[in-house]
Amino acid sequence: MAALVLGIVSPVTFTGKLSPNSRSRRRMVVKCSNERQILFNRIAPVYDNLNDLLSLGQHRIWKNMAVSWSGAKTGDNVLDMCCGSGDLAFLLSEKVGSTGKVMGLDFSSEQLAVAASRQNLRARSCYKCIEWIEGDAVDLPFDDCKFDAITMGYGLRNVVDRVRAMKEMYRVLKPGSRVSILDFNKSNQSVTTFMQDWMIDNVVVPVGTVYGLAKEFEYLKYSINGYLTGEELETLALEAGFSSACHYEISGGFMGNLVAER
Ligand SMILES: C/C(=C\Cc1cc(O)c2ccccc2c1O)CCC[C@H](C)CCC[C@H](C)CCCC(C)C
Ligand SMILES: C[S@@+](CC[C@H](N)C(=O)[O-])C[C@H]1O[C@@H](n2cnc3c(N)ncnc32)[C@H](O)[C@@H]1O
């Protein structure tokens, strides 16, 4: 909240175009892939600061866990899908070091611009091994069996065709390697769902409103409701060909992380 009061992040005004449907029905705003692309371009300038603020810094802990679960190690060639402003890619580069290689892929040019500027501000040599690539999670521009590990933070829920994205991850991973997918947990426990919805309605959306981003943060709630439970995520991975899949609940079931091995 202090950042808000001190004005460290500033409100942005939307100047992009929405489809005719999106004006009349809120849930339609972000139904198709290119409307989601517009949404993530819009929130890019404030995304990092709002995540720190809304999660009270905890998203850094969750992201560290996701990277550890990926099994990335020194010298590895790794991919961060839906990398956004690059948090997981930066953590991965610390694991693989300057002898490794990190690809950060996203379809939002504005998020990638933030990621690249953050990279320029960082001095450690490991950060130089990151390359940012504009691309779609459902059609990866990589050869088969290329990566030693893949991470995805708050990405899969936002991808329209999750089956295809999961199959793409399977295709580009080396046999025996892992994908680690962090996101909000779509819980089976009604108390957890109630608390998540309450937080979003009473904290997240009001804060988003201050920045002219109410609809973007309302989308968050609908996207969690439309996401998969831990069990469903495990099934999705197994059906895509992964040999094992395990979903872990984090922070009282607020968040979840799927770990699947090819
Ligand atoms: C990491 C966070 C948000 C990522 C994020 C993901 C999306 O898909 C978006 C889509 C559209 C707009 C924005 C986003 C977006 O920012 C921050 C999440 C914060 C949580 C909403 C609140 C977490 C509350 C607590 C600190 C957790 C406490 C758990 C307790 C133990 C019960
Ligand atoms: C909530 S952000 C997460 C960013 C980052 N991984 C993090 O944890 O902070 C979701 C990201 O997924 C990207 N995204 C959504 N669908 C995508 C797709 N089909 N292909 C590539 N990127 C996508 C968005 O552009 C956005 O940057």
Side-chain angles (χ1 to χ4, degrees), residues 39-40 43 47 50-59 62-63 153-155 157-158 182-184 195-196 199-200 203-204 213 215-220 223-224 250-255:
L39 183 153
F40 286 108
I43 66 173
Y47 179 76
L50 284 184
N51 280 350
D52 276 335
L53 179 70
L54 294 169
S55 75
L56 306 173
Q58 299 219 45
H59 72 109
W62 304 325
K63 287 171 179 174
Y154 303 97
R157 175 176 37 85
N158 294 303
L182 168 70
D183 218 311
F184 287 87
M195 280 169 65
Q196 267 177 345
M199 277 290 299
I200 294 174
V203 181
V204 177
L213 296 168
K215 284 211 164 63
E216 286 68 12
F217 284 93
E218 279 163 7
Y219 157 75
L220 190 54
S223 70
I224 298 170
I250 308 172
S251 287
F254 248 63
M255 299 291 158

mmCIF file of all heavy atoms in Angstrom, residues 39-40 43 47 50-59 62-63 153-155 157-158 182-184 195-196 199-200 203-204 213 215-220 223-224 250-255, ligand 1:
data_model
loop_
_atom_site.group_PDB
_atom_site.id
_atom_site.type_symbol
_atom_site.label_atom_id
_atom_site.label_comp_id
_atom_site.label_asym_id
_atom_site.label_seq_id
_atom_site.Cartn_x
_atom_site.Cartn_y
_atom_site.Cartn_z
ATOM 1 N N LEU A 39 -4.593 -7.105 -23.021
ATOM 2 C CA LEU A 39 -4.669 -6.942 -21.564
ATOM 3 C C LEU A 39 -3.262 -6.929 -20.948
ATOM 4 O O LEU A 39 -2.933 -6.052 -20.145
ATOM 5 C CB LEU A 39 -5.507 -8.081 -20.972
ATOM 6 C CG LEU A 39 -5.771 -8.068 -19.465
ATOM 7 C CD1 LEU A 39 -7.078 -8.792 -19.152
ATOM 8 C CD2 LEU A 39 -4.654 -8.692 -18.647
ATOM 9 N N PHE A 40 -2.419 -7.888 -21.351
ATOM 10 C CA PHE A 40 -1.095 -7.955 -20.726
ATOM 11 C C PHE A 40 -0.184 -6.826 -21.198
ATOM 12 O O PHE A 40 0.681 -6.373 -20.444
ATOM 13 C CB PHE A 40 -0.477 -9.344 -20.905
ATOM 14 C CG PHE A 40 -1.144 -10.349 -20.003
ATOM 15 C CD1 PHE A 40 -1.997 -11.316 -20.500
ATOM 16 C CD2 PHE A 40 -0.976 -10.268 -18.628
ATOM 17 C CE1 PHE A 40 -2.655 -12.203 -19.651
ATOM 18 C CE2 PHE A 40 -1.629 -11.143 -17.764
ATOM 19 C CZ PHE A 40 -2.471 -12.115 -18.280
ATOM 20 N N ILE A 43 -1.265 -3.852 -18.857
ATOM 21 C CA ILE A 43 -0.867 -3.841 -17.441
ATOM 22 C C ILE A 43 0.653 -3.832 -17.264
ATOM 23 O O ILE A 43 1.135 -3.645 -16.147
ATOM 24 C CB ILE A 43 -1.499 -5.001 -16.630
ATOM 25 C CG1 ILE A 43 -0.977 -6.368 -17.093
ATOM 26 C CG2 ILE A 43 -3.013 -4.964 -16.672
ATOM 27 C CD1 ILE A 43 -1.462 -7.514 -16.203
ATOM 28 N N TYR A 47 2.697 -3.867 -13.705
ATOM 29 C CA TYR A 47 2.557 -5.277 -13.311
ATOM 30 C C TYR A 47 3.460 -5.662 -12.128
ATOM 31 O O TYR A 47 2.993 -6.206 -11.124
ATOM 32 C CB TYR A 47 2.837 -6.165 -14.541
ATOM 33 C CG TYR A 47 2.744 -7.633 -14.244
ATOM 34 C CD1 TYR A 47 1.509 -8.252 -14.100
ATOM 35 C CD2 TYR A 47 3.889 -8.410 -14.086
ATOM 36 C CE1 TYR A 47 1.418 -9.608 -13.801
ATOM 37 C CE2 TYR A 47 3.801 -9.757 -13.792
ATOM 38 C CZ TYR A 47 2.575 -10.349 -13.650
ATOM 39 O OH TYR A 47 2.478 -11.673 -13.342
ATOM 40 N N LEU A 50 2.542 -3.875 -8.784
ATOM 41 C CA LEU A 50 1.275 -4.349 -8.214
ATOM 42 C C LEU A 50 1.397 -5.761 -7.653
ATOM 43 O O LEU A 50 0.782 -6.084 -6.644
ATOM 44 C CB LEU A 50 0.151 -4.251 -9.246
ATOM 45 C CG LEU A 50 -0.381 -2.827 -9.473
ATOM 46 C CD1 LEU A 50 -1.558 -2.824 -10.427
ATOM 47 C CD2 LEU A 50 -0.800 -2.174 -8.163
ATOM 48 N N ASN A 51 2.196 -6.607 -8.286
ATOM 49 C CA ASN A 51 2.382 -7.959 -7.741
ATOM 50 C C ASN A 51 3.070 -7.917 -6.378
ATOM 51 O O ASN A 51 2.702 -8.661 -5.462
ATOM 52 C CB ASN A 51 3.197 -8.826 -8.699
ATOM 53 C CG ASN A 51 2.340 -9.356 -9.830
ATOM 54 O OD1 ASN A 51 1.131 -9.228 -9.797
ATOM 55 N ND2 ASN A 51 2.971 -9.942 -10.817
ATOM 56 N N ASP A 52 4.073 -7.039 -6.249
ATOM 57 C CA ASP A 52 4.745 -6.879 -4.950
ATOM 58 C C ASP A 52 3.748 -6.404 -3.898
ATOM 59 O O ASP A 52 3.695 -6.919 -2.781
ATOM 60 C CB ASP A 52 5.878 -5.840 -5.056
ATOM 61 C CG ASP A 52 7.166 -6.475 -5.576
ATOM 62 O OD1 ASP A 52 7.344 -7.694 -5.411
ATOM 63 O OD2 ASP A 52 7.992 -5.738 -6.146
ATOM 64 N N LEU A 53 2.985 -5.407 -4.300
ATOM 65 C CA LEU A 53 2.032 -4.795 -3.374
ATOM 66 C C LEU A 53 0.929 -5.781 -2.972
ATOM 67 O O LEU A 53 0.668 -5.999 -1.788
ATOM 68 C CB LEU A 53 1.425 -3.578 -4.090
ATOM 69 C CG LEU A 53 0.387 -2.759 -3.366
ATOM 70 C CD1 LEU A 53 1.041 -1.988 -2.231
ATOM 71 C CD2 LEU A 53 -0.270 -1.781 -4.340
ATOM 72 N N LEU A 54 0.290 -6.411 -3.967
ATOM 73 C CA LEU A 54 -0.881 -7.254 -3.691
ATOM 74 C C LEU A 54 -0.516 -8.548 -2.961
ATOM 75 O O LEU A 54 -1.290 -9.065 -2.167
ATOM 76 C CB LEU A 54 -1.614 -7.588 -5.002
ATOM 77 C CG LEU A 54 -2.259 -6.386 -5.701
ATOM 78 C CD1 LEU A 54 -2.717 -6.766 -7.102
ATOM 79 C CD2 LEU A 54 -3.438 -5.861 -4.878
ATOM 80 N N SER A 55 0.673 -9.064 -3.246
ATOM 81 C CA SER A 55 1.055 -10.328 -2.591
ATOM 82 C C SER A 55 1.937 -10.067 -1.365
ATOM 83 O O SER A 55 2.413 -11.000 -0.736
ATOM 84 C CB SER A 55 1.803 -11.244 -3.571
ATOM 85 O OG SER A 55 3.115 -10.780 -3.780
ATOM 86 N N LEU A 56 2.163 -8.805 -1.050
ATOM 87 C CA LEU A 56 3.061 -8.412 0.051
ATOM 88 C C LEU A 56 4.444 -9.056 -0.146
ATOM 89 O O LEU A 56 5.068 -9.531 0.808
ATOM 90 C CB LEU A 56 2.467 -8.786 1.412
ATOM 91 C CG LEU A 56 1.051 -8.253 1.681
ATOM 92 C CD1 LEU A 56 0.478 -8.804 2.969
ATOM 93 C CD2 LEU A 56 1.035 -6.724 1.706
ATOM 94 N N GLY A 57 4.867 -9.114 -1.374
ATOM 95 C CA GLY A 57 6.191 -9.652 -1.711
ATOM 96 C C GLY A 57 6.254 -11.166 -1.809
ATOM 97 O O GLY A 57 7.277 -11.724 -2.212
ATOM 98 N N GLN A 58 5.153 -11.831 -1.460
ATOM 99 C CA GLN A 58 5.194 -13.307 -1.401
ATOM 100 C C GLN A 58 5.364 -13.978 -2.752
ATOM 101 O O GLN A 58 5.798 -15.118 -2.821
ATOM 102 C CB GLN A 58 3.922 -13.828 -0.758
ATOM 103 C CG GLN A 58 3.770 -13.331 0.654
ATOM 104 C CD GLN A 58 3.207 -14.413 1.538
ATOM 105 O OE1 GLN A 58 3.611 -15.558 1.496
ATOM 106 N NE2 GLN A 58 2.266 -14.033 2.354
ATOM 107 N N HIS A 59 5.000 -13.272 -3.839
ATOM 108 C CA HIS A 59 5.119 -13.922 -5.158
ATOM 109 C C HIS A 59 6.562 -14.296 -5.453
ATOM 110 O O HIS A 59 6.835 -15.237 -6.195
ATOM 111 C CB HIS A 59 4.530 -13.029 -6.270
ATOM 112 C CG HIS A 59 5.332 -11.816 -6.607
ATOM 113 N ND1 HIS A 59 6.024 -11.696 -7.783
ATOM 114 C CD2 HIS A 59 5.573 -10.682 -5.913
ATOM 115 C CE1 HIS A 59 6.636 -10.526 -7.810
ATOM 116 N NE2 HIS A 59 6.376 -9.891 -6.689
ATOM 117 N N TRP A 62 7.022 -17.763 -4.042
ATOM 118 C CA TRP A 62 6.361 -18.766 -4.888
ATOM 119 C C TRP A 62 7.170 -19.001 -6.162
ATOM 120 O O TRP A 62 7.298 -20.137 -6.628
ATOM 121 C CB TRP A 62 4.938 -18.305 -5.236
ATOM 122 C CG TRP A 62 4.079 -17.992 -4.029
ATOM 123 C CD1 TRP A 62 4.117 -18.646 -2.825
ATOM 124 C CD2 TRP A 62 3.099 -16.967 -3.890
ATOM 125 N NE1 TRP A 62 3.208 -18.082 -1.963
ATOM 126 C CE2 TRP A 62 2.561 -17.051 -2.584
ATOM 127 C CE3 TRP A 62 2.594 -15.980 -4.743
ATOM 128 C CZ2 TRP A 62 1.559 -16.196 -2.116
ATOM 129 C CZ3 TRP A 62 1.594 -15.121 -4.288
ATOM 130 C CH2 TRP A 62 1.092 -15.236 -2.982
ATOM 131 N N LYS A 63 7.716 -17.929 -6.721
ATOM 132 C CA LYS A 63 8.479 -18.058 -7.972
ATOM 133 C C LYS A 63 9.792 -18.810 -7.722
ATOM 134 O O LYS A 63 10.220 -19.621 -8.555
ATOM 135 C CB LYS A 63 8.718 -16.677 -8.592
ATOM 136 C CG LYS A 63 7.429 -16.117 -9.193
ATOM 137 C CD LYS A 63 7.531 -14.666 -9.629
ATOM 138 C CE LYS A 63 6.192 -14.221 -10.246
ATOM 139 N NZ LYS A 63 6.155 -12.781 -10.558
ATOM 140 N N GLY A 153 5.101 -19.237 -15.027
ATOM 141 C CA GLY A 153 4.497 -18.605 -13.853
ATOM 142 C C GLY A 153 3.272 -17.818 -14.254
ATOM 143 O O GLY A 153 3.366 -16.882 -15.051
ATOM 144 N N TYR A 154 2.122 -18.176 -13.726
ATOM 145 C CA TYR A 154 0.864 -17.466 -13.982
ATOM 146 C C TYR A 154 0.597 -17.333 -15.475
ATOM 147 O O TYR A 154 0.076 -16.315 -15.940
ATOM 148 C CB TYR A 154 0.882 -16.081 -13.296
ATOM 149 C CG TYR A 154 1.114 -16.220 -11.818
ATOM 150 C CD1 TYR A 154 2.398 -16.072 -11.268
ATOM 151 C CD2 TYR A 154 0.076 -16.578 -10.969
ATOM 152 C CE1 TYR A 154 2.623 -16.254 -9.916
ATOM 153 C CE2 TYR A 154 0.297 -16.759 -9.612
ATOM 154 C CZ TYR A 154 1.572 -16.597 -9.098
ATOM 155 O OH TYR A 154 1.784 -16.779 -7.755
ATOM 156 N N GLY A 155 0.973 -18.378 -16.230
ATOM 157 C CA GLY A 155 0.835 -18.339 -17.682
ATOM 158 C C GLY A 155 -0.254 -19.252 -18.202
ATOM 159 O O GLY A 155 -1.144 -18.820 -18.936
ATOM 160 N N ARG A 157 -2.964 -20.599 -17.121
ATOM 161 C CA ARG A 157 -4.362 -20.167 -16.902
ATOM 162 C C ARG A 157 -4.796 -19.147 -17.960
ATOM 163 O O ARG A 157 -5.968 -19.052 -18.306
ATOM 164 C CB ARG A 157 -4.473 -19.569 -15.488
ATOM 165 C CG ARG A 157 -5.807 -18.962 -15.125
ATOM 166 C CD ARG A 157 -5.802 -18.501 -13.668
ATOM 167 N NE ARG A 157 -4.526 -17.944 -13.284
ATOM 168 C CZ ARG A 157 -4.179 -16.680 -13.500
ATOM 169 N NH1 ARG A 157 -5.016 -15.848 -14.066
ATOM 170 N NH2 ARG A 157 -2.985 -16.239 -13.131
ATOM 171 N N ASN A 158 -3.825 -18.377 -18.457
ATOM 172 C CA ASN A 158 -4.152 -17.325 -19.415
ATOM 173 C C ASN A 158 -4.075 -17.782 -20.871
ATOM 174 O O ASN A 158 -4.375 -17.003 -21.775
ATOM 175 C CB ASN A 158 -3.186 -16.143 -19.202
ATOM 176 C CG ASN A 158 -3.402 -15.496 -17.849
ATOM 177 O OD1 ASN A 158 -4.500 -15.055 -17.543
ATOM 178 N ND2 ASN A 158 -2.365 -15.473 -17.020
ATOM 179 N N LEU A 182 3.598 -22.704 -12.130
ATOM 180 C CA LEU A 182 3.055 -22.020 -10.951
ATOM 181 C C LEU A 182 1.821 -21.211 -11.346
ATOM 182 O O LEU A 182 1.818 -20.559 -12.388
ATOM 183 C CB LEU A 182 4.132 -21.059 -10.408
ATOM 184 C CG LEU A 182 3.703 -20.030 -9.365
ATOM 185 C CD1 LEU A 182 3.368 -20.704 -8.024
ATOM 186 C CD2 LEU A 182 4.802 -18.984 -9.169
ATOM 187 N N ASP A 183 0.797 -21.258 -10.493
ATOM 188 C CA ASP A 183 -0.376 -20.406 -10.761
ATOM 189 C C ASP A 183 -1.263 -20.334 -9.525
ATOM 190 O O ASP A 183 -0.963 -20.971 -8.507
ATOM 191 C CB ASP A 183 -1.183 -20.938 -11.956
ATOM 192 C CG ASP A 183 -1.730 -19.793 -12.809
ATOM 193 O OD1 ASP A 183 -2.328 -18.870 -12.226
ATOM 194 O OD2 ASP A 183 -1.532 -19.820 -14.033
ATOM 195 N N PHE A 184 -2.326 -19.571 -9.632
ATOM 196 C CA PHE A 184 -3.340 -19.613 -8.585
ATOM 197 C C PHE A 184 -3.875 -21.041 -8.545
ATOM 198 O O PHE A 184 -3.956 -21.710 -9.574
ATOM 199 C CB PHE A 184 -4.481 -18.649 -8.917
ATOM 200 C CG PHE A 184 -4.113 -17.209 -8.742
ATOM 201 C CD1 PHE A 184 -3.508 -16.508 -9.774
ATOM 202 C CD2 PHE A 184 -4.342 -16.563 -7.542
ATOM 203 C CE1 PHE A 184 -3.148 -15.184 -9.610
ATOM 204 C CE2 PHE A 184 -3.986 -15.236 -7.363
ATOM 205 C CZ PHE A 184 -3.384 -14.541 -8.406
ATOM 206 N N MET A 195 -12.132 -17.240 0.072
ATOM 207 C CA MET A 195 -11.091 -16.267 0.455
ATOM 208 C C MET A 195 -10.407 -15.657 -0.768
ATOM 209 O O MET A 195 -10.120 -14.459 -0.801
ATOM 210 C CB MET A 195 -10.048 -16.935 1.354
ATOM 211 C CG MET A 195 -10.529 -17.043 2.799
ATOM 212 S SD MET A 195 -9.457 -18.098 3.765
ATOM 213 C CE MET A 195 -7.954 -17.177 3.737
ATOM 214 N N GLN A 196 -10.160 -16.497 -1.778
ATOM 215 C CA GLN A 196 -9.550 -15.977 -3.019
ATOM 216 C C GLN A 196 -10.478 -14.932 -3.646
ATOM 217 O O GLN A 196 -10.042 -13.830 -3.999
ATOM 218 C CB GLN A 196 -9.370 -17.117 -4.032
ATOM 219 C CG GLN A 196 -8.021 -17.784 -3.979
ATOM 220 C CD GLN A 196 -7.955 -18.954 -4.957
ATOM 221 O OE1 GLN A 196 -8.967 -19.438 -5.457
ATOM 222 N NE2 GLN A 196 -6.752 -19.409 -5.220
ATOM 223 N N MET A 199 -10.558 -11.728 -1.583
ATOM 224 C CA MET A 199 -9.322 -10.931 -1.765
ATOM 225 C C MET A 199 -9.379 -10.166 -3.087
ATOM 226 O O MET A 199 -8.995 -9.003 -3.165
ATOM 227 C CB MET A 199 -8.088 -11.854 -1.830
ATOM 228 C CG MET A 199 -7.527 -12.277 -0.517
ATOM 229 S SD MET A 199 -6.737 -10.943 0.360
ATOM 230 C CE MET A 199 -5.433 -10.476 -0.758
ATOM 231 N N ILE A 200 -9.822 -10.864 -4.125
ATOM 232 C CA ILE A 200 -9.836 -10.216 -5.445
ATOM 233 C C ILE A 200 -10.882 -9.102 -5.485
ATOM 234 O O ILE A 200 -10.596 -7.983 -5.916
ATOM 235 C CB ILE A 200 -10.033 -11.264 -6.569
ATOM 236 C CG1 ILE A 200 -8.799 -12.188 -6.600
ATOM 237 C CG2 ILE A 200 -10.219 -10.579 -7.928
ATOM 238 C CD1 ILE A 200 -8.889 -13.351 -7.551
ATOM 239 N N VAL A 203 -9.739 -6.355 -2.451
ATOM 240 C CA VAL A 203 -8.394 -5.777 -2.415
ATOM 241 C C VAL A 203 -7.850 -5.584 -3.837
ATOM 242 O O VAL A 203 -7.513 -4.467 -4.232
ATOM 243 C CB VAL A 203 -7.416 -6.663 -1.583
ATOM 244 C CG1 VAL A 203 -6.033 -6.037 -1.548
ATOM 245 C CG2 VAL A 203 -7.947 -6.886 -0.169
ATOM 246 N N VAL A 204 -7.811 -6.684 -4.593
ATOM 247 C CA VAL A 204 -7.133 -6.639 -5.896
ATOM 248 C C VAL A 204 -7.856 -5.701 -6.879
ATOM 249 O O VAL A 204 -7.233 -4.802 -7.454
ATOM 250 C CB VAL A 204 -7.005 -8.076 -6.476
ATOM 251 C CG1 VAL A 204 -6.377 -8.045 -7.846
ATOM 252 C CG2 VAL A 204 -6.184 -8.962 -5.534
ATOM 253 N N LEU A 213 -7.431 -0.081 -14.095
ATOM 254 C CA LEU A 213 -7.297 -1.462 -14.557
ATOM 255 C C LEU A 213 -8.306 -2.400 -13.872
ATOM 256 O O LEU A 213 -7.998 -3.560 -13.617
ATOM 257 C CB LEU A 213 -5.871 -1.960 -14.299
ATOM 258 C CG LEU A 213 -4.758 -1.236 -15.067
ATOM 259 C CD1 LEU A 213 -3.386 -1.602 -14.512
ATOM 260 C CD2 LEU A 213 -4.819 -1.559 -16.549
ATOM 261 N N LYS A 215 -11.119 -3.815 -14.943
ATOM 262 C CA LYS A 215 -11.550 -4.975 -15.749
ATOM 263 C C LYS A 215 -10.445 -6.017 -15.849
ATOM 264 O O LYS A 215 -10.698 -7.218 -15.829
ATOM 265 C CB LYS A 215 -11.954 -4.524 -17.147
ATOM 266 C CG LYS A 215 -13.303 -3.846 -17.193
ATOM 267 C CD LYS A 215 -13.990 -4.098 -18.527
ATOM 268 C CE LYS A 215 -15.463 -3.766 -18.469
ATOM 269 N NZ LYS A 215 -15.734 -2.361 -18.195
ATOM 270 N N GLU A 216 -9.212 -5.543 -15.936
ATOM 271 C CA GLU A 216 -8.073 -6.457 -16.052
ATOM 272 C C GLU A 216 -7.982 -7.336 -14.802
ATOM 273 O O GLU A 216 -7.686 -8.518 -14.877
ATOM 274 C CB GLU A 216 -6.763 -5.673 -16.215
ATOM 275 C CG GLU A 216 -6.555 -5.040 -17.572
ATOM 276 C CD GLU A 216 -7.497 -3.903 -17.879
ATOM 277 O OE1 GLU A 216 -8.189 -3.415 -16.969
ATOM 278 O OE2 GLU A 216 -7.545 -3.490 -19.045
ATOM 279 N N PHE A 217 -8.240 -6.736 -13.640
ATOM 280 C CA PHE A 217 -8.126 -7.513 -12.412
ATOM 281 C C PHE A 217 -9.396 -8.317 -12.129
ATOM 282 O O PHE A 217 -9.336 -9.347 -11.469
ATOM 283 C CB PHE A 217 -7.672 -6.621 -11.248
ATOM 284 C CG PHE A 217 -6.195 -6.322 -11.344
ATOM 285 C CD1 PHE A 217 -5.728 -5.195 -11.983
ATOM 286 C CD2 PHE A 217 -5.269 -7.230 -10.853
ATOM 287 C CE1 PHE A 217 -4.365 -4.947 -12.124
ATOM 288 C CE2 PHE A 217 -3.906 -7.000 -10.989
ATOM 289 C CZ PHE A 217 -3.450 -5.865 -11.619
ATOM 290 N N GLU A 218 -10.542 -7.850 -12.671
ATOM 291 C CA GLU A 218 -11.752 -8.682 -12.578
ATOM 292 C C GLU A 218 -11.543 -9.964 -13.393
ATOM 293 O O GLU A 218 -11.991 -11.045 -13.013
ATOM 294 C CB GLU A 218 -12.977 -7.926 -13.108
ATOM 295 C CG GLU A 218 -13.543 -6.972 -12.081
ATOM 296 C CD GLU A 218 -14.461 -5.930 -12.686
ATOM 297 O OE1 GLU A 218 -14.768 -6.008 -13.887
ATOM 298 O OE2 GLU A 218 -14.852 -5.021 -11.940
ATOM 299 N N TYR A 219 -10.849 -9.817 -14.505
ATOM 300 C CA TYR A 219 -10.538 -10.979 -15.352
ATOM 301 C C TYR A 219 -9.814 -12.058 -14.543
ATOM 302 O O TYR A 219 -10.026 -13.259 -14.746
ATOM 303 C CB TYR A 219 -9.691 -10.532 -16.557
ATOM 304 C CG TYR A 219 -8.883 -11.647 -17.170
ATOM 305 C CD1 TYR A 219 -9.495 -12.623 -17.959
ATOM 306 C CD2 TYR A 219 -7.510 -11.755 -16.936
ATOM 307 C CE1 TYR A 219 -8.761 -13.666 -18.503
ATOM 308 C CE2 TYR A 219 -6.769 -12.789 -17.474
ATOM 309 C CZ TYR A 219 -7.398 -13.746 -18.247
ATOM 310 O OH TYR A 219 -6.666 -14.781 -18.770
ATOM 311 N N LEU A 220 -8.962 -11.599 -13.608
ATOM 312 C CA LEU A 220 -8.188 -12.543 -12.794
ATOM 313 C C LEU A 220 -9.122 -13.546 -12.098
ATOM 314 O O LEU A 220 -8.901 -14.761 -12.135
ATOM 315 C CB LEU A 220 -7.392 -11.730 -11.768
ATOM 316 C CG LEU A 220 -6.336 -12.412 -10.946
ATOM 317 C CD1 LEU A 220 -5.341 -13.137 -11.817
ATOM 318 C CD2 LEU A 220 -5.617 -11.377 -10.077
ATOM 319 N N SER A 223 -10.718 -15.908 -14.543
ATOM 320 C CA SER A 223 -9.740 -16.852 -15.102
ATOM 321 C C SER A 223 -9.402 -17.953 -14.092
ATOM 322 O O SER A 223 -9.144 -19.087 -14.486
ATOM 323 C CB SER A 223 -8.477 -16.119 -15.573
ATOM 324 O OG SER A 223 -7.745 -15.642 -14.470
ATOM 325 N N ILE A 224 -9.431 -17.631 -12.811
ATOM 326 C CA ILE A 224 -9.174 -18.684 -11.802
ATOM 327 C C ILE A 224 -10.349 -19.663 -11.800
ATOM 328 O O ILE A 224 -10.168 -20.883 -11.791
ATOM 329 C CB ILE A 224 -8.944 -18.086 -10.392
ATOM 330 C CG1 ILE A 224 -7.712 -17.179 -10.385
ATOM 331 C CG2 ILE A 224 -8.771 -19.212 -9.357
ATOM 332 C CD1 ILE A 224 -7.541 -16.352 -9.120
ATOM 333 N N ILE A 250 0.259 -24.428 -2.370
ATOM 334 C CA ILE A 250 1.178 -23.513 -1.674
ATOM 335 C C ILE A 250 0.358 -22.445 -0.942
ATOM 336 O O ILE A 250 -0.719 -22.067 -1.416
ATOM 337 C CB ILE A 250 2.095 -22.786 -2.704
ATOM 338 C CG1 ILE A 250 2.792 -23.776 -3.632
ATOM 339 C CG2 ILE A 250 3.114 -21.910 -2.013
ATOM 340 C CD1 ILE A 250 3.551 -23.091 -4.772
ATOM 341 N N SER A 251 0.898 -21.945 0.169
ATOM 342 C CA SER A 251 0.287 -20.837 0.927
ATOM 343 C C SER A 251 -1.197 -21.065 1.210
ATOM 344 O O SER A 251 -2.057 -20.288 0.766
ATOM 345 C CB SER A 251 0.487 -19.506 0.191
ATOM 346 O OG SER A 251 1.807 -19.098 0.292
ATOM 347 N N GLY A 252 -1.455 -22.132 1.913
ATOM 348 C CA GLY A 252 -2.830 -22.426 2.335
ATOM 349 C C GLY A 252 -3.763 -22.740 1.181
ATOM 350 O O GLY A 252 -4.975 -22.568 1.297
ATOM 351 N N GLY A 253 -3.200 -23.161 0.040
ATOM 352 C CA GLY A 253 -4.042 -23.524 -1.100
ATOM 353 C C GLY A 253 -4.389 -22.343 -1.997
ATOM 354 O O GLY A 253 -5.154 -22.477 -2.944
ATOM 355 N N PHE A 254 -3.828 -21.163 -1.692
ATOM 356 C CA PHE A 254 -4.045 -19.983 -2.542
ATOM 357 C C PHE A 254 -3.380 -20.176 -3.909
ATOM 358 O O PHE A 254 -3.905 -19.782 -4.932
ATOM 359 C CB PHE A 254 -3.425 -18.751 -1.869
ATOM 360 C CG PHE A 254 -4.439 -17.755 -1.405
ATOM 361 C CD1 PHE A 254 -5.356 -18.107 -0.431
ATOM 362 C CD2 PHE A 254 -4.469 -16.472 -1.928
ATOM 363 C CE1 PHE A 254 -6.294 -17.190 0.008
ATOM 364 C CE2 PHE A 254 -5.402 -15.554 -1.493
ATOM 365 C CZ PHE A 254 -6.322 -15.904 -0.515
ATOM 366 N N MET A 255 -2.176 -20.769 -3.871
ATOM 367 C CA MET A 255 -1.390 -20.961 -5.082
ATOM 368 C C MET A 255 -1.146 -22.458 -5.275
ATOM 369 O O MET A 255 -1.300 -23.252 -4.337
ATOM 370 C CB MET A 255 -0.029 -20.244 -4.971
ATOM 371 C CG MET A 255 -0.142 -18.750 -4.777
ATOM 372 S SD MET A 255 -0.764 -17.919 -6.225
ATOM 373 C CE MET A 255 -1.392 -16.403 -5.501
HETATM 374 C C1 LIG B 1 1.445 -12.997 -8.388
HETATM 375 C C2 LIG B 1 0.262 -12.137 -8.429
HETATM 376 C C3 LIG B 1 -0.437 -11.917 -9.542
HETATM 377 C C4 LIG B 1 -0.075 -12.392 -10.890
HETATM 378 C C5 LIG B 1 -1.120 -12.060 -11.930
HETATM 379 C C6 LIG B 1 -1.586 -13.076 -12.701
HETATM 380 C C7 LIG B 1 -2.552 -12.844 -13.655
HETATM 381 O O1 LIG B 1 -2.993 -13.837 -14.416
HETATM 382 C C8 LIG B 1 -3.084 -11.573 -13.889
HETATM 383 C C9 LIG B 1 -4.067 -11.358 -14.851
HETATM 384 C C10 LIG B 1 -4.583 -10.106 -15.015
HETATM 385 C C11 LIG B 1 -4.136 -9.056 -14.253
HETATM 386 C C12 LIG B 1 -3.146 -9.264 -13.316
HETATM 387 C C13 LIG B 1 -2.617 -10.531 -13.123
HETATM 388 C C14 LIG B 1 -1.608 -10.788 -12.146
HETATM 389 O O2 LIG B 1 -1.128 -9.764 -11.422
HETATM 390 C C15 LIG B 1 -0.131 -11.470 -7.140
HETATM 391 C C16 LIG B 1 -1.233 -12.189 -6.515
HETATM 392 C C17 LIG B 1 -1.703 -11.613 -5.240
HETATM 393 C C18 LIG B 1 -2.931 -12.320 -4.738
HETATM 394 C C19 LIG B 1 -4.190 -11.909 -5.453
HETATM 395 C C20 LIG B 1 -3.126 -12.090 -3.287
HETATM 396 C C21 LIG B 1 -2.289 -12.959 -2.435
HETATM 397 C C22 LIG B 1 -2.688 -12.727 -1.021
HETATM 398 C C23 LIG B 1 -1.806 -13.215 0.058
HETATM 399 C C24 LIG B 1 -0.574 -12.401 0.325
HETATM 400 C C25 LIG B 1 -1.597 -14.671 0.091
HETATM 401 C C26 LIG B 1 -1.757 -15.134 1.508
HETATM 402 C C27 LIG B 1 -2.084 -16.570 1.572
HETATM 403 C C28 LIG B 1 -2.547 -16.933 2.963
HETATM 404 C C29 LIG B 1 -1.560 -17.863 3.589
HETATM 405 C C30 LIG B 1 -3.923 -17.501 2.918
#
